Amino acid sequence: MKKEFERFDMNKPPVRTKWYLRPITYLLSFPDIKKHKVKITKTGTEKLKPPYLLLCNHNAFMDFKVATKTIYPQRANYIVAIDGFIGREKLLRDVGCICKRKFTNNISLIKQLKRVMENGDVAVIYPEARYSLCGTTAVLPESLGKLCKLFNVPVVTLICHGHHINSPFWNLHDRGVAPTEAEFNLLFRPETLESLSVDEINKRIVDAFQYDDYKWQKDRGIKVTYQKRAEGLEKVLYQCPCCKTEFRMATKNTSLYCENCGASWEYSELGELIFTGDSSSLPSLPDGASFSHIPSWYEWERSNVRTEVENGTYSSGELKVHVDTLPNAKKFIRLGNGTMVHDTNGFTVRGIDVDGDPFEMIKDVPSLYSCHIEYEYLGKYGDCVDLNTLTDTWYIYPEGKDFSVTKMALATEELYFSHRRKKGKPCPWGLA
């Protein structure tokens, strides 16, 4: 039985930012801009006028503040996930936000972006659709190239550096990193878009989105002295390189360690992991990569997931879960309890709601090129996966310790890439 909830109106036309709110958004952004001594470099954008598409990378809430500072006083509409609207829908609409349910294809969004272009404003898009898990590029949707050609307006990128180091997704404490940097670059002029294929446009976007916050930190010698800087890192680095055990990594203060074999690392002020044991116990990584570099460890985990996918053995097993639903922007609603399985068929969620009726959501492999996850979401229930339809978002919280939502996110991408390869449609890395 499908419950009848009031649904968020995804078709409501975008609002041009109210004139009296524009300086307020700037003023609200200013304290953090000043605190972090943000350096913005502009290339080809000095005399740029709207309308244009602004594609931004996504590592922390600070991204929005830098974008506001960069384009002020131009009007903009921002694509924002539905949970950002909770309890403040009117305010967010009035400052120009457009709601999107993550990793769904909604034709109404194209219509709303078209209206933004017709209004002569800036459309701000975060195509990675989630905070980066380890300060490197997340997968970008293949539809970006088509979107750019459709609107035929200038396309600009805003790539920020240092926001993940300052406030990583796995531990949102502000570490006071300064200065941070941002590059505001004109990527395409309309006449260039007309002459390029969609594939060529996508390739240039992927190239423009290459970043690595940990390399950026090390290259600049920026130290983070926060005494609990390692805590939460086990959410991303869930597998021990020494014993290969999953889901038993733990952290305390500046230490990362394996509860199974005792291997441990010290998380340095320069963002490197210093192994405290015999380095011969660590496997070798390709191209001179090292487990001291957090993104390299993360990609090693990805390679292990890829092997499971290729062997047809990947499965989360059946996990007990509870599910919250977000049909509108008023509040989360407890849907009920059930089970979730993530395997080579995709996600299958089934259960019984609070009224005793069955519920089900199935997201097969071709329908998801990536998925959104949360760590200790809202400090209430722990880690979760959120799955979306065009009219609803489910926040699915597994119980116990024998799972990793990070592994599920990696597997979602690797399952999708495998499906593409089998269909003779390989994707360049960074694009799905």
Side-chain angles (χ1 to χ4, degrees), residues 19-53:
W19 67 268
Y20 55 87
L21 291 176
R22 288 159 68 192
I24 293 176
T25 59
Y26 181 88
L27 290 173
L28 289 174
S29 301
F30 181 76
D32 273 341
I33 297 294
K34 182 178 180 180
K35 174 183 176 181
H36 295 285
K37 302 177 182 178
V38 181
K39 298 179 179 179
I40 302 172
T41 303
K42 299 184 178 183
T43 304
T45 54
E46 294 81 358
K47 297 181 180 180
L48 183 67
K49 302 293 183 183
Y52 60 86
L53 289 173

Side-chain angles (χ1 to χ4, degrees), residues 145-422:
K146 295 178 182 178
L147 187 72
C148 293
K149 283 190 79 74
L150 175 65
F151 294 122
N152 201 36
V153 296
V155 178
V156 183
T157 58
L158 180 65
I159 306 300
C160 297
H161 305 280
H163 295 175
H164 177 86
I165 303 303
N166 179 69
S167 181
F169 182 52
W170 40 268
N171 182 331
L172 297 175
H173 178 84
D174 187 326
R175 291 124 194 263
V177 171
T180 60
E181 300 176 18
E183 298 154 1
F184 186 54
N185 296 336
L186 176 63
L187 190 60
F188 300 112
R189 299 182 186 277
E191 57 271 23
T192 307
L193 290 171
E194 291 178 359
S195 67
L196 295 175
S197 69
V198 169
D199 287 345
E200 289 171 326
I201 294 169
N202 277 329
K203 184 180 185 305
R204 293 194 189 185
I205 293 173
V206 170
D207 289 344
F209 264 75
Q210 296 309 301
Y211 64 92
D212 181 336
D213 255 23
Y214 288 97
K215 182 178 184 303
W216 175 90
Q217 178 188 8
K218 184 178 179 181
D219 288 347
R220 284 153 182 76
I222 293 176
K223 293 184 177 182
V224 172
T225 58
Y226 176 48
Q227 290 301 303
K228 295 184 178 182
R229 58 182 174 270
E231 294 189 1
L233 185 54
E234 77 280 3
K235 302 288 189 181
V236 178
L237 306 183
Y238 61 85
Q239 184 174 20
C240 176
C242 295
C243 67
K244 310 301 187 295
T245 301
E246 296 179 320
F247 322 140
R248 292 299 181 267
M249 298 300 293
T251 53
K252 183 176 182 181
N253 297 329
T254 61
S255 296
L256 170 72
Y257 57 93
C258 175
E259 294 178 324
N260 182 64
C261 73
S264 64
W265 291 258
E266 185 71 13
Y267 186 27
S268 78
E269 293 181 349
L270 287 174
E272 294 182 294
L273 292 171
I274 301 171
F275 186 48
T276 59
D278 180 1
S279 60
S280 65
S281 63
L282 292 171
S284 59
L285 293 175
D287 303 323
S290 169
F291 284 100
S292 65
H293 187 56
I294 289 171
S296 296
W297 187 327
Y298 177 75
E299 291 304 324
W300 172 77
E301 293 174 332
R302 177 189 294 280
S303 69
N304 295 336
V305 173
R306 183 180 303 128
T307 298
E308 291 184 37
V309 168
E310 291 172 347
N311 292 339
T313 60
Y314 169 73
S315 177
S316 67
E318 185 175 88
L319 300 170
K320 291 183 179 180
V321 299
H322 68 263
V323 182
D324 288 351
T325 181
L326 190 60
N328 53 55
K330 293 181 179 179
K331 63 179 181 178
F332 293 101
I333 300 170
R334 176 56 55 88
L335 186 60
N337 299 318
T339 61
M340 175 172 69
V341 175
H342 188 219
D343 58 18
T344 54
N345 296 311
F347 284 98
T348 302
V349 183
R350 294 190 176 101
I352 303 297
D353 70 18
V354 294
D355 296 322
D357 296 318
F359 61 79
E360 178 184 81
M361 184 185 291
I362 296 175
K363 302 292 284 188
D364 63 11
V365 169
S367 70
L368 277 180
Y369 71 85
S370 188
C371 70
H372 188 247
I373 62 174
E374 293 280 358
Y375 300 139
E376 302 295 336
Y377 191 47
L378 302 178
K380 292 183 178 180
Y381 308 121
D383 302 344
C384 71
V385 177
D386 67 83
L387 300 178
N388 298 264
T389 67
L390 291 178
T391 59
D392 208 348
T393 299
W394 287 7
Y395 287 77
I396 304 151
Y397 298 85
E399 299 176 5
K401 292 180 62 177
D402 294 323
F403 72 93
S404 166
V405 294
T406 301
K407 185 176 183 180
M408 293 181 198
L410 288 169
T412 301
E413 295 168 3
E414 291 304 320
L415 286 164
Y416 182 84
F417 293 148
S418 176
H419 170 77
R420 293 268 307 197
R421 288 192 294 270
K422 291 175 182 177

Side-chain angles (χ1 to χ4, degrees), residues 69-85:
K69 166 67 168 64
T70 303
I71 66 176
Y72 187 82
Q74 296 169 353
R75 291 181 191 261
N77 290 92
Y78 294 77
I79 308 300
V80 176
I82 187 167
D83 57 315
F85 284 78

Side-chain angles (χ1 to χ4, degrees), residues 54-86:
L54 178 57
L55 307 179
C56 310
N57 69 331
H58 208 19
N59 277 281
F61 191 75
M62 182 72 176
D63 302 333
F64 294 103
K65 297 181 179 182
V66 173
T68 298
K69 166 67 168 64
T70 303
I71 66 176
Y72 187 82
Q74 296 169 353
R75 291 181 191 261
N77 290 92
Y78 294 77
I79 308 300
V80 176
I82 187 167
D83 57 315
F85 284 78
I86 297 174

Side-chain angles (χ1 to χ4, degrees), residues 96-113:
C97 295
I98 300 171
C99 185
K100 173 78 164 62
R101 294 190 188 269
K102 291 177 181 291
F103 303 109
T104 59
N105 296 317
N106 191 349
I107 192 66
S108 68
L109 180 63
I110 303 300
K111 295 177 180 178
Q112 290 168 323
L113 290 174

